[in-house]
Amino acid sequence: MGDSLAGKYGLILGVANKRSIAWSCARALADQGMRLAFNYATERLRGGVEELAAELPGSLVLPCDVTDAAQIDGLFESLKREFGALDALVHAVAFARREELAGDFFDTSREGYMIAHEVSAYSLTAMTRRAVPLMEGRSGSIVTLTYIGSERVIPNYNIMGIAKAALEASVRYLAHDLGPRGIRVNAVSAGPIRTLSASGVAGFSNILDEIASRAPLRRNIDADEVGDVCAFLCSHASRGITGSTLYVDAGYHIMGV
Ligand code: NAP
């Protein structure tokens, strides 16, 4: 445990359970001394998030469904009151209907298309807008999670690939907007990890097998490897990086055939 992030405050969106990538990000940031706030999207998840957050002393746990503007406003009012400032925003939230994560992409419904984009892409912009006033003058860092299905066809990933492409483009536009204020915005493109969300993608086990046999490192990654890069992106060490997508995927993204 270090103290390079002592005196700093972070908001972590997307802890569902201990397998969540957001939880690995949280532990990596807390290890460096950052004080954290967590959201829970529904009452059903509240107890689990509170139990995990209790492992990191001083943490806050607040309700926030990212599709609900009133709840987002409420979350940031609480943060302003409790922390008074924000240095890091980790956005590890995504959703698509299970039936849209199998079969043909052209069968995607209008509603399914909209939901996936609202939760998985627009929410980054909605949260960033509220975070900016709290990050003013503090060299804030915003990190989101993406997947290579935004740039290459991953069978069954379908609408999430389109939403992740919008998310990555949002990162670049937000980085351009916020750079003059000293706020950085980046994405981490993670290799496949067995989490609650991932289990919704049809054929997910086959994807894990493919990476283990073809990625340069000949293995899959784990969530803690993503957490460490997230902590790097929220630290002084990454002060020259913004608008980028960093791959934590055992090198799989460089492969052609
Ligand atoms: P996860 O543990 O299931 O986390 C996803 C989180 O998004 C959950 O906490 C979920 O809460 C939350 N969420 C969904 N809809 C929401 C809403 N309307 N409001 C607020 N929160 C909402 O899965 P994960 O794999 O760690 O996913 C984290 C991020 O990493 C996602 O952006 C995902 O696309 C990305 N990613 C994952 C992988 C992978 O292979 N696992 C690879 C690359 C990128 P509920 O449970 O309540 O829905």
Side-chain angles (χ1 to χ4, degrees):
M1 167 154 177
D3 63 356
S4 61
L5 299 176
K8 293 187 181 287
Y9 301 99
L11 170 61
I12 309 289
L13 301 169
V15 173
N17 55 43
K18 66 177 171 26
R19 286 170 174 261
S20 295
I21 295 173
W23 179 238
S24 288
C25 295
R27 283 190 290 108
L29 291 167
D31 269 356
Q32 295 300 319
M34 186 175 274
R35 190 171 167 207
L36 300 174
F38 297 88
N39 79 313
Y40 58 90
T42 59
E43 274 303 314
R44 185 178 52 80
L45 286 179
R46 181 181 185 159
V49 178
E50 283 178 343
E51 222 169 90
L52 286 173
E55 294 178 21
L56 307 176
S59 298
L60 301 177
V61 178
L62 301 161
C64 185
D65 178 327
V66 299
T67 64
D68 184 327
Q71 287 193 30
I72 302 177
D73 287 338
L75 173 75
F76 280 95
E77 275 161 30
S78 300
L79 286 180
K80 190 174 179 192
R81 201 171 50 244
E82 301 288 334
F83 288 173
L86 197 64
D87 300 284
L89 166 62
V90 178
H91 174 275
V93 170
F95 177 78
R97 290 172 169 175
R98 188 173 270 263
E99 64 267 28
E100 319 254 17
L101 296 173
D104 290 326
F105 167 66
F106 70 69
D107 280 333
T108 305
S109 67
R110 181 175 185 277
E111 206 186 343
Y113 192 104
M114 306 293 261
I115 291 172
H117 278 72
E118 183 173 21
V119 177
S120 317
Y122 179 67
S123 63
L124 176 69
T125 299
M127 302 304 294
T128 296
R129 190 162 58 250
R130 272 78 161 200
V132 166
L134 289 176
M135 287 185 164
E136 210 78 64
R138 294 183 69 90
S139 308
S141 176
I142 297 170
V143 179
T144 189
L145 268 300
T146 188
Y147 180 57
I148 200 170
S150 62
E151 355 165 7
R152 315 260 182 92
V153 174
I154 307 288
N156 300 317
Y157 198 60
N158 297 349
I159 185 58
M160 276 308 303
I162 316 303
K164 291 298 192 192
L167 179 73
E168 290 171 24
S170 305
V171 164
R172 292 185 283 272
Y173 279 89
L174 292 169
H176 172 260
D177 285 352
L178 299 176
R181 300 175 193 228
I183 298 171
R184 298 181 295 111
V185 189
N186 292 289
V188 176
S189 184
I193 300 169
R194 213 177 269 289
T195 62
L196 200 59
S197 294
S199 66
V201 181
F204 185 74
S205 296
N206 298 337
I207 298 177
L208 288 174
D209 292 345
E210 165 80 3
I211 304 297
S213 68
R214 294 194 53 233
L217 294 179
R218 299 291 193 280
R219 65 171 175 84
N220 280 284
I221 60 146
D222 65 37
D224 287 351
E225 293 175 287
V226 179
D228 286 345
V229 171
C230 174
F232 162 68
L233 285 173
C234 294
S235 76
H236 185 67
S238 64
R239 61 196 175 281
I241 302 176
T242 194
S244 294
T245 298
L246 271 65
Y247 294 85
V248 181
D249 67 346
Y252 184 75
H253 69 282
I254 67 169
M255 300 305 293
V257 288

